[in-house]
Amino acid sequence: MRIAENIQYFEEQLKSSNCRLVAVSKTHPVEKIQEAYDAGQRLFGENKVQELVDKQPALPQDIAWHLIGHLQTNKVKYIAAFIDTIQSVDSLKLLKEINKRAAQAGRSTPVNCMLQISIADEETKFGMACEEAVALLQSEEYQRMEHIRITGVMGIATNTDDEDKLRQEFVCLRDCFRKLKESFFSDSDYFKEISMGMTSDWQLALQEGSTMIRVGSGIFGSRNYNK
Ligand SMILES: *Cc1c(COP(=O)(O)O)cnc(C)c1O
């Protein structure tokens, strides 16, 4: 895989949009991540805490790491000091833990968090309904949190090549974003992200208003889990 060329390709594709690229480096070694970094990439996504914790010290410290996979509350403490964004926040309980661990870590900046909204068929177990996100944001507990900041929403579409269905799901996430923006964040410029679109469907996601596409195999090649 020509990693540098792929990074440049996406840079070119996104340059006239306000959409950014998260390079999803899960299962790939630090050497490959360094190659993408050397080509100018600074946002990287991982889906497992252990893997992220292993890689992070070996790579440049100005990488903005995004956690994009399901996060168990008992693992927040391992990433709280350095994580830039947790895209996969799916409960108030998890958000409370992130807030607590961020405070303990003595960070100079809050942890950016995105609410994961379920937009797909059953197959994705994680994520909240948009109404649950509303309830979370209405809660007093959330309103007292000082060490996190909600920057937007994230969704994983159904694994299908049915374009109409994909488009519907992306529109559903965009509508949820708009609703939350209007109700809770109309004065906050930091609530601005709609993270949707992967290697197979990023063009559709971009058309429907994605501000962050998460691309793995389209940059690093296919993943070999059996290595
Ligand atoms: C693995 C993963 C991606 C990237 O998938 P590709 O199809 O390789 O681009 C994007 N988002 C999430 C949440 C993932 O787990």
Side-chain angles (χ1 to χ4, degrees):
M1 241 353 203
R2 305 184 155 176
I3 294 171
E5 280 174 29
N6 295 335
I7 295 289
Q8 277 148 23
Y9 168 78
F10 279 101
E11 243 168 48
E12 186 65 26
Q13 294 294 309
L14 299 180
K15 78 169 184 250
S16 59
S17 69
N18 72 337
C19 183
R20 291 183 293 160
L21 172 68
V22 176
V24 177
S25 50
K26 64 190 185 195
T27 76
H28 298 290
V30 291
E31 294 73 29
K32 304 271 174 169
I33 303 175
Q34 184 70 48
E35 253 181 88
Y37 180 92
D38 292 339
Q41 182 65 24
R42 292 294 180 272
L43 300 189
F44 289 88
E46 288 281 341
N47 69 336
K48 294 207 169 77
V49 167
Q50 187 57 55
E51 193 178 338
L52 175 54
V53 165
D54 288 343
K55 288 171 174 177
Q56 185 268 343
L59 284 156
Q61 296 302 296
D62 64 339
I63 286 179
W65 288 105
H66 285 219
L67 190 80
I68 59 171
H70 181 66
L71 177 58
Q72 290 171 281
T73 41
N74 63 357
K75 296 201 174 151
V76 174
K77 56 179 179 282
Y78 302 119
I79 59 171
F82 69 84
I83 197 78
D84 177 81
T85 300
I86 298 173
Q87 292 205 9
S88 43
V89 174
D90 58 2
S91 71
L92 180 60
K93 179 175 164 236
L94 177 59
L95 200 59
K96 272 165 64 179
E97 179 68 11
I98 298 168
N99 185 61
K100 178 177 138 190
R101 296 294 179 178
Q104 286 174 0
R107 296 169 57 107
S108 55
T109 54
V111 175
N112 296 317
C113 290
M114 300 171 68
L115 301 178
Q116 183 174 351
I117 307 297
S118 58
I119 54 172
D121 297 340
E122 297 295 309
E123 61 189 79
T124 342
K125 296 191 295 278
F126 303 111
M128 298 178 275
C130 199
E131 306 82 72
E132 288 176 76
V134 168
L136 183 156
L137 295 169
Q138 280 170 337
S139 72
E140 258 179 61
E141 279 176 303
Y142 160 69
Q143 286 163 23
R144 283 197 305 263
M145 294 178 190
E146 292 180 344
H147 305 280
I148 56 104
R149 179 166 82 168
I150 310 266
T151 56
V153 295
M154 183 272 254
I156 305 172
T158 302
N159 185 9
T160 175
D161 46 22
D162 179 345
E163 289 202 0
D164 292 333
K165 183 168 176 55
L166 287 167
R167 210 179 274 281
Q168 260 173 32
E169 293 179 359
F170 292 144
V171 167
C172 169
L173 188 61
R174 187 185 66 205
D175 287 347
C176 179
F177 169 83
R178 286 184 180 161
K179 180 175 173 178
L180 301 182
K181 178 83 186 167
E182 200 174 292
S183 309
F184 302 98
F185 297 103
S186 52
D187 298 331
S188 322
D189 35 353
Y190 54 80
F191 186 85
K192 61 178 169 50
E193 306 292 359
I194 306 176
S195 171
M196 58 187 189
M198 323 198 325
T199 298
S200 58
D201 57 17
W202 66 269
Q203 278 128 324
L204 275 179
L206 186 61
Q207 285 169 15
E208 297 304 338
S210 177
T211 69
M212 231 177 232
I213 56 172
R214 310 178 303 266
V215 179
S217 42
I219 294 169
F220 296 104
S222 58
R223 289 180 286 275
N224 178 4
Y225 290 100
N226 306 317
K227 260 196 315 222

